[in-house]
Amino acid sequence: MSLRPTVDFLLYDWLDAPALNARERFSDHSRETFDAVLDTCERIAREKYAPFNRVVDTQEPHFDGEKVILPQATHEAQKAYAASGMLGAAQDYEVGGMQLPYTVEAAANAFFAMASVSIGSGMLTTGNANLLMAHGTEAQKQVFALNEFSGRFSGTMCLSEPQAGSSLSDVSTRAVPDGTDFENDPLGPRYRLKGNKMWISAGEHELTENIVHLVLAKIPDADGKLVPGTRGISLFIVPKKMVNAEGALTGARNDVALAGLNHKCGWRGTTNTLLNFGEGLYPVNGESGAVGYLVGQPGKGLHCMFHMMNEARIGVGMAATMLGMAGYHASLDYAKNRPQGRPMGPAGKDPAQAPVRIIEHADVKRMLLAQKAYCEGALALELYCARLVDEQHTADAATADDARLLLEVLTPIAKSWPSEWCLEANSLAIQIHGGYGYTRDFPVEQYWRDNRLNMIHEGTHGIQAMDLLGRKVLMEGGKGLSLLAGRINDTLQRAIHIPEFAAHANALSQALAQVGAATKAAWATGEPTDALANAVPYMQAFGHTVLAWIWLDVALAAQAAPASNARTGRLAAMRFFFHYELPKIGAWLQVVSQRDQTCAAVPEEAF
């Protein structure tokens, strides 16, 4: 079974990606160039990624005392991906990019995520370079960002610390000016950093000539004290190896040392590291302290880093989606070929009949349809968000600003919803395989292990929920939420006049009203502790409402298409979501609306 027909339908029949070519930035493109990009990425994913997914799971990264060792397959995949131009696909022609719409770039990258998510396809490197293109100096763009887009360098993001975790207020990595002329370095104001960073994906390897770490740290005040909270955080470029103003390696190692590799449940093909900055293992010019170059203004580091964090959150959502999709395809193939059980007749089961394939059982169809609804719906959501990115960057000012606000509201959903429900799809894939699914002889257990990470990294479920209910639906007077409601109502108006969709349109209208009422009720007292006590159930209900809208909108496009098995399947997945999933929001929103304190009020001693 191929992913391509689904991608083509969503990209062309639903989102009408070729319409973007009417814009000056994309005017050189056509459906033919988009197809060529998809063809190339599909082929590389098939040849360089998919055959080695189990290899990178079993041959974990290890440190030989001098360097981190990865399977040769990872090196080959990295080279092929860099050579494809996908690291800088959305960049200007002048810097070696393709000026490709992000919608198409996201669709193309889906093939890599499905083939082997932990081999990696440069999500952090591209995000790192994009941040520098937005906030870096011209020298920083030339020396670091462009070398990342070419695949010569790779990139990381270094936020968390062992003692702080997700609480960035508690970052204690220090950055002090490096010499009296620190402000005059051609690569930016030069500092010396000392501290420890944890959970750094791709933090140490030999895949590229250099690794560009983007590090959050605090600059001490005149008394040598760190400013409390997030307002004192600055952002620094800390290369693994020192470079000159032209980007050439100087031969000196920066004072960044691998403290250890984390041993993960899944996603084992990507190194995950604890890094020590400035401990003196690799002194630069005879001094301890990792050399870092300030990005943007002092104290504004978190503002800059959110450029990369928001990209990464959508990337995590896509990774979760495609891991779910991989499990769905595997379990569908198994269900079509595994004979077991007999059909139920008026007199019960007839043991004299031959066993039937398990896909003929209603409960197996239920599990397959659930996976299809979760994963194809999530893919549509991620591509819709990608389309909003293109609107934000290339549409007229009013449309671009609407896209910005919609993306603000949808980003927590784009990250969190697939990470929960496509993980559930992976669990159902194991269930369909029965006992075989719980063995390493079949791939579905690895997909589940790989996907379990996505509810955690780039902001846990709880953090995303508090961001949604505590900030995103309230920002700018609730305008983003109003814009989303407007988009949903546009779909409702088109669907309500189609007899097959009228009941679903009414159900979605009621769900939207419930979400709006719950939002107001949650904040009725004005107390964040009341409102946010049930932020996760709120996000679950909000996400299900968004996915119901996405599915209804997709179904409108499917309804207009010629009759086919694919059309039948999409309409069935839409009906499944409305009949089996959307009704769940009532229970979630009840505790939100009542500001239920059951969880918040239970004393610690009661556990």
Side-chain angles (χ1 to χ4, degrees):
M1 182 180 179
S2 171
L3 172 67
R4 184 63 178 273
T6 300
V7 169
D8 284 350
F9 172 81
L10 293 175
L11 204 56
Y12 299 132
D13 297 308
W14 180 51
L15 288 176
D16 189 19
L20 289 167
N21 299 328
R23 297 178 184 173
E24 182 179 356
R25 179 170 183 79
F26 308 128
S27 59
D28 290 340
H29 288 295
S30 63
R31 166 132 187 198
E32 287 70 30
T33 62
F34 293 167
D35 280 341
V37 170
L38 297 176
D39 290 344
T40 298
C41 292
E42 188 177 23
R43 176 183 55 77
I44 296 172
R46 182 176 62 250
E47 295 175 358
K48 300 293 186 181
Y49 284 70
F52 307 103
N53 191 46
R54 179 61 81 181
V55 170
V56 299
D57 185 62
T58 56
Q59 297 180 23
E60 293 187 60
H62 65 277
F63 184 56
D64 69 356
E66 294 184 5
K67 57 184 181 293
V68 170
I69 307 299
L70 291 164
Q72 184 60 31
T74 305
H75 290 261
E76 297 301 324
Q78 161 72 20
K79 290 177 184 175
Y81 187 79
S84 75
M86 288 301 294
L87 285 165
Q91 294 302 309
D92 295 347
Y93 295 135
E94 289 75 11
V95 297
M98 294 188 248
Q99 293 188 192
L100 196 68
Y102 182 60
T103 311
V104 179
E105 179 185 350
N109 278 323
F111 294 108
F112 299 102
M114 185 170 171
S116 182
V117 74
S118 73
I119 286 181
S121 52
M123 179 183 77
L124 289 178
T125 296
T126 298
N128 179 308
N130 286 343
L131 182 154
L132 293 177
M133 294 299 287
H135 299 287
T137 66
E138 285 305 312
Q140 289 170 348
K141 295 174 187 178
Q142 291 292 324
V143 170
F144 298 109
L146 298 193
N147 278 312
E148 290 182 272
F149 287 135
S150 73
R152 183 180 166 221
F153 296 172
S154 57
T156 73
M157 57 192 300
C158 300
L159 289 75
S160 299
E161 297 179 2
Q163 83 290 344
S166 298
S167 180
L168 297 181
S169 296
D170 298 315
V171 163
S172 62
T173 298
R174 302 168 69 93
V176 298
D178 183 28
T180 57
D181 65 340
F182 77 100
E183 291 184 302
N184 299 321
D185 195 292
L187 295 178
R190 189 181 64 251
Y191 287 75
R192 292 279 184 154
L193 279 70
K194 292 187 178 182
N196 313 102
K197 294 293 181 178
M198 188 74 169
W199 312 120
I200 311 306
S201 294
E204 180 58 45
H205 55 74
E206 301 295 320
L207 296 171
T208 53
E209 287 183 41
N210 206 355
I211 302 174
V212 180
H213 302 292
L214 285 178
V215 184
L216 292 181
K218 291 184 176 181
I219 301 170
D221 62 17
D223 297 323
K225 296 181 180 179
L226 299 182
V227 177
T230 60
R231 62 189 175 88
I233 295 176
S234 301
L235 180 64
F236 300 88
I237 299 167
V238 183
K240 172 185 172 180
K241 298 175 182 178
M242 301 302 294
V243 298
N244 63 23
E246 285 71 48
L249 301 183
T250 66
R253 175 79 184 261
N254 204 354
D255 198 6
V256 182
L258 177 69
L261 295 173
N262 296 309
H263 302 288
K264 299 171 293 179
C265 170
W267 211 305
R268 295 174 179 172
T270 302
T271 57
N272 191 273
T273 61
L274 172 63
L275 297 177
N276 292 339
F277 292 84
E279 67 175 359
L281 186 61
Y282 303 103
V284 181
N285 297 328
E287 297 180 34
S288 64
V291 174
Y293 306 99
L294 181 68
V295 179
Q297 298 298 313
K300 302 293 185 182
L302 203 54
H303 168 73
C304 297
M305 186 58 92
F306 265 112
H307 187 106
M308 184 175 181
M309 289 168 67
N310 284 330
E311 280 192 34
R313 285 171 176 173
I314 294 175
V316 166
M318 182 63 87
T321 297
M322 301 320 298
L323 281 164
M325 193 77 80
Y328 166 55
H329 282 206
S331 61
L332 176 60
D333 180 68
Y334 184 84
K336 287 180 175 180
N337 290 285
R338 168 68 171 172
Q340 185 175 304
R342 289 162 177 82
M344 185 72 71
K349 295 180 181 179
D350 181 359
Q353 289 189 5
V356 296
R357 297 166 304 135
I358 63 173
I359 197 170
E360 297 181 47
H361 300 309
D363 193 54
V364 173
K365 288 184 178 181
R366 175 189 63 83
M367 292 187 283
L368 288 169
L369 204 50
Q371 290 180 74
K372 182 179 179 68
Y374 298 153
C375 300
E376 291 189 15
L379 179 57
L381 171 64
E382 300 301 327
L383 294 179
Y384 184 85
C385 288
R387 179 63 187 265
L388 288 177
V389 172
D390 286 322
E391 295 294 326
Q392 186 179 350
H393 291 159
T394 63
D396 63 82
T399 304
D401 195 57
D402 285 354
R404 173 188 64 83
L405 267 173
L406 278 168
L407 201 55
E408 289 277 12
V409 172
L410 288 175
T411 293
I413 302 302
K415 188 275 178 185
S416 64
W417 198 91
S419 71
E420 179 173 5
W421 296 97
C422 294
L423 177 68
E424 173 62 17
N426 288 132
S427 182
L428 292 172
I430 292 173
Q431 189 73 13
I432 286 173
H433 280 74
Y436 290 111
Y438 201 63
T439 70
R440 290 190 294 273
D441 298 322
F442 288 80
V444 287
E445 60 84 28
Q446 182 186 342
Y447 297 143
W448 188 94
R449 284 189 291 106
D450 285 345
N451 216 350
R452 188 58 187 82
L453 174 63
N454 290 315
M455 285 182 73
I456 300 170
H457 73 164
E458 301 308 333
T460 63
H461 230 43
I463 287 172
Q464 300 298 329
M466 288 189 287
D467 182 44
L468 177 67
L469 181 55
R471 193 166 73 90
K472 294 300 179 62
V473 298
L474 304 177
M475 65 188 298
E476 299 186 30
K479 185 180 177 183
L481 186 56
S482 296
L483 283 169
L484 178 60
R487 297 286 175 101
I488 294 173
N489 280 317
D490 287 345
T491 301
L492 291 176
Q493 292 306 310
R494 289 186 291 129
I496 198 74
H497 302 294
I498 300 174
E500 298 94 315
F501 295 163
H504 305 312
N506 284 323
L508 178 56
S509 178
Q510 292 170 19
L512 180 61
Q514 285 180 271
V515 169
T519 306
K520 292 178 181 178
W523 285 103
T525 65
E527 292 291 336
T529 51
D530 290 346
L532 300 180
N534 296 291
V536 166
Y538 175 85
M539 183 174 68
Q540 290 172 312
F542 195 107
H544 261 48
T545 302
V546 167
L547 264 292
W549 161 55
I550 290 287
W551 262 119
L552 187 59
D553 208 73
V554 167
L556 286 167
Q559 181 81 355
S564 67
N565 289 331
R567 178 180 181 273
T568 300
R570 290 186 184 103
L571 295 177
M574 182 275 292
R575 290 194 299 274
F576 174 90
F577 200 89
F578 274 85
H579 294 169
Y580 287 76
E581 294 295 330
L582 189 59
K584 293 177 180 177
I585 73 168
W588 290 324
L589 291 178
Q590 182 175 4
V591 293
V592 175
S593 297
Q594 294 176 348
R595 299 181 297 282
D596 192 293
Q597 297 295 302
T598 299
C599 300
V602 64
E604 177 183 333
E605 296 76 18
F607 287 100

